Amino acid sequence: DPSYRAIVERFARDQGAFDHAFKHAWYKLTTRDMGPRARCTGPDVPPAQPWQNPLPPPPERLANFTAVATEVRALLGRSDPAFPADRLPPLDRPDYGPLMVRLASQCFSTFRVTDWLGGCNGARIRFPPERDWPDNKALDRALLLLRPVKERYGDALSWADLIVLTGTVALERAGASELPFCGGRTDAADGAGSAFLAPAVSGSRNDTVYRIKQTALLMGLSPREFTALVGGGHSLGQMHPSRSGYAGAWTADPSRLDNSFFRTLFAETWEPFTVPSTGRQQYRAGGGKELYMLHTDLFFRFDPELAAAAHDFASDNALFLREFSAAWTKMVNADRFDGPTGNLCHHHH
């Protein structure tokens, strides 16, 4: 092979070039599953390498997050004519809250403990490939809605902090107890660090319980923590045929964060339903009720391990809210590394 031959010939005549290439290749092979340079320790750690997807340092002066949260809270109840907010039953008022919770959860759900890639630090959801994943359709519009807030605070407010804070404020507005917020994230210059992080689960009939549980494991979540996060996310908002191909709300009050996803899941009889405009297959509650579930949602009813947690949450809303808040906080801070095992945000818990 001519391309390999050229490399071999260069190494044959230049020991220094070979030594340089070998030490870089060896370091990459032995270190790339350690994640960012921040997880490495000791006097011999070289500068961050491109394959470690280094992020710039956080701003020296952070925004006043209380003031940012106040602005965000006002934005959530408005509706932009260019991208109208859903008017959710039973209140029938504009609500961007569920969209912003989805933006934050899609931003952090790329995190994986196998090699410490992903997470919302860096806000790579702004760039390809994440921006173009089918699961993230319309989230670019959510970012447009937030742009005036970002521009008002400039460099003191990173996109990553704004995305997490907005999701957190939306959850509190929907009924979560006060959630801790740990600022200081920073923004990547591109989406290169997300090349291998596309989601494995989409809600389709091809998804399996095994794949769902592997997704949780990859994110560092127990089955119970994963169940809490899905139940919280699916108690809010509704599906849109123009985005995911699926339709309808999971609960009767989709502007409220509570355990109604689990209560509805167990209380109703679920019948196969085909979305007329897309042909996607999902489930609808019997008796013509306007309540809908995905194929993957039913795993939380029929898989013994997932159903055990789902039953606990269905019977105790306070327990659900506590465990949801803990799982949310764990994931939004999962990539805030401080050495090999530390976390910059643990004092915020």
Side-chain angles (χ1 to χ4, degrees):
D1 183 292
S3 58
Y4 278 93
R5 184 177 179 87
I7 296 168
V8 170
E9 287 178 347
R10 188 171 82 250
F11 287 163
R13 66 175 179 264
D14 188 342
Q15 180 70 37
F18 171 72
D19 290 345
H20 179 84
F22 180 84
K23 72 180 181 182
H24 279 265
W26 180 261
Y27 182 62
K28 181 176 182 178
L29 281 169
T30 56
T31 313
R32 65 177 165 183
D33 60 352
M34 285 284 292
R37 184 182 181 276
R39 294 194 68 253
C40 300
T41 188
D44 299 322
V45 180
Q49 304 296 301
W51 46 266
Q52 291 174 309
N53 307 301
L55 292 170
E60 288 182 19
R61 183 185 61 82
L62 296 177
N64 178 336
F65 293 120
T66 305
V68 177
T70 301
E71 287 199 41
V72 164
R73 202 170 286 110
L75 180 151
L76 295 175
R78 293 202 292 264
S79 187
D80 187 324
F83 185 61
D86 285 341
R87 302 184 72 92
L88 299 169
L91 300 174
D92 191 38
R93 67 181 186 197
D95 191 355
Y96 283 126
L99 175 71
M100 297 304 180
V101 171
R102 180 160 180 77
L103 174 64
S105 61
Q106 289 298 105
C107 190
F108 70 60
S109 64
T110 55
F111 178 76
R112 61 191 199 185
V113 295
T114 46
D115 53 10
W116 313 102
L117 288 174
C120 200
N121 198 8
R124 294 182 177 93
I125 198 166
R126 296 168 297 139
F127 302 114
E130 285 191 46
R131 187 183 66 197
D132 303 327
W133 292 342
D135 276 18
N136 291 342
K137 194 167 183 182
L139 293 182
D140 56 336
R141 307 301 294 271
L143 292 169
L144 279 176
L145 293 168
L146 292 175
R147 183 175 291 282
V149 181
K150 170 71 178 91
E151 289 176 347
R152 196 146 37 249
Y153 289 89
D155 292 340
L157 177 64
S158 66
W159 272 109
D161 272 344
L162 178 57
I163 289 167
V164 171
L165 181 59
T166 302
T168 300
V169 168
L171 287 170
E172 292 173 350
R173 185 171 173 268
S177 53
E178 188 175 349
L179 294 161
F181 175 75
C182 171
R185 293 168 188 81
T186 181
D187 293 336
D190 56 44
S194 305
F196 306 108
L197 302 179
V201 173
S202 66
S204 79
R205 296 187 66 83
N206 296 326
D207 290 332
T208 62
V209 172
Y210 174 79
R211 196 182 291 177
I212 282 267
K213 290 183 178 180
Q214 286 298 303
T215 296
L217 201 61
L218 205 58
M219 293 168 68
L221 293 168
S222 69
R224 187 178 180 92
E225 289 171 324
F226 187 74
T227 300
L229 276 179
V230 171
H234 289 186
S235 75
L236 295 171
Q238 61 191 12
M239 295 169 270
H240 301 78
S242 62
R243 299 178 199 170
S244 66
Y246 300 107
W250 291 269
T251 70
D253 187 355
S255 61
R256 191 92 197 134
L257 177 71
D258 59 19
N259 65 347
S260 56
F261 168 80
F262 299 109
R263 288 187 283 110
T264 305
L265 180 66
F266 291 116
E268 302 297 336
T269 303
W270 298 101
E271 300 170 352
F273 173 78
T274 302
V275 182
S277 61
T278 66
R280 288 285 177 92
Q281 294 181 310
Q282 58 183 105
Y283 292 88
R284 183 179 180 178
K289 295 179 185 175
E290 289 295 316
L291 296 167
Y292 297 85
M293 292 277 164
L294 295 169
H295 170 68
T296 45
D297 292 325
L298 298 191
F299 296 163
F300 296 94
R301 177 166 170 168
F302 296 115
D303 176 75
E305 187 176 27
L306 299 176
H311 274 292
D312 285 351
F313 297 147
S315 62
D316 189 337
N317 188 51
L319 172 76
F320 162 69
L321 289 174
R322 263 197 321 275
E323 296 201 23
F324 172 83
S325 295
W328 175 272
T329 303
K330 175 178 175 174
M331 288 311 303
V332 295
N333 295 335
D335 56 356
R336 305 296 306 283
F337 305 115
D338 185 17
T341 58
N343 189 291
L344 294 169
C345 297
H346 278 173
H347 64 284
H348 284 260
H349 292 193

